[in-house]
């Protein structure tokens, strides 16, 4: 990182915390894309896509994106009430919801192990506006 190292509660945020935060953002996205990819390949997933082409694909993508976001809704053109979709959407929802706890706990544990550093004179205070005309 260039410039001042970010901090939170007097503890420096380093590359490990940023990697874990990136995982929190990427896990639901990857689960939605993986679920969609499986659903458009497997015959059980293709059987209940009632709109052919790009619209049918977008319905499957929406169903898995919604499942990854813990909502679980789907468009009417997708027959999502089948054993395949119920199981696949449930797995995506479970993984997207509970796997996020692992990197979040890793961030918390990492910050808990770090010692608070004393405020240095070189650090700019967050409470004043340094760019105001004087």
């Amino acid at each position: 990182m260039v410039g001042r190292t970010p901090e939170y509660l007097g503890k420096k945020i380093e590359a490990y915390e940023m990697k874990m935060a990136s995982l929190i953002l990427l896990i639901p996205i990857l689960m939605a894309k993986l679920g969609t990819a499986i659903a458009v390949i497997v015959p059980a997933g293709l059987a209940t896509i009632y709109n052919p082409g790009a619209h049918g694909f977008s319905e499957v993508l929406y169903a898995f994106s919604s499942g990854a976001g813990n909502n679980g809704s789907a468009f009417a053109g997708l027959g999502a009430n089948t054993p395949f979709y119920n199981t696949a959407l449930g797995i995506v929802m479970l993984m997207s919801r509970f796997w996020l706890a692992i990197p979040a706990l890793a961030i918390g544990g990492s910050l808990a192990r770090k010692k608070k550093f004393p405020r240095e004179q070189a650090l700019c205070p967050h409470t004043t506006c340094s760019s105001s005309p004087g």
Side-chain angles (χ1 to χ4, degrees), residues 19-127:
K19 289 175 186 175
M20 293 297 111
S22 298
L23 280 178
I24 291 172
L25 294 172
L26 290 174
I27 286 172
I29 295 168
L30 293 174
M31 292 306 298
K33 303 306 184 258
L34 183 65
T36 301
I38 291 170
V40 297
I41 293 173
V42 176
L46 292 171
T48 56
I49 300 175
Y50 301 127
N51 294 313
H55 187 69
F57 178 79
S58 68
E59 289 176 345
V60 174
L61 179 61
Y62 174 77
F64 281 99
S65 297
S66 177
N70 299 317
N71 184 6
S73 63
F75 287 129
L78 177 67
N81 192 17
T82 62
F84 172 77
Y85 278 108
N86 287 336
T87 304
L89 289 168
I91 290 170
V92 166
M93 191 178 291
L94 183 73
M95 299 295 210
S96 294
R97 179 176 291 179
F98 293 113
W99 275 19
L100 297 183
I102 296 169
L105 289 171
I107 291 171
S110 174
L111 289 175
R113 281 190 302 270
K114 291 182 180 183
K115 298 203 183 308
K116 263 187 150 176
F117 66 91
R119 183 164 287 279
E120 299 171 17
Q121 296 298 330
L123 294 177
C124 298
H126 299 289
T127 56

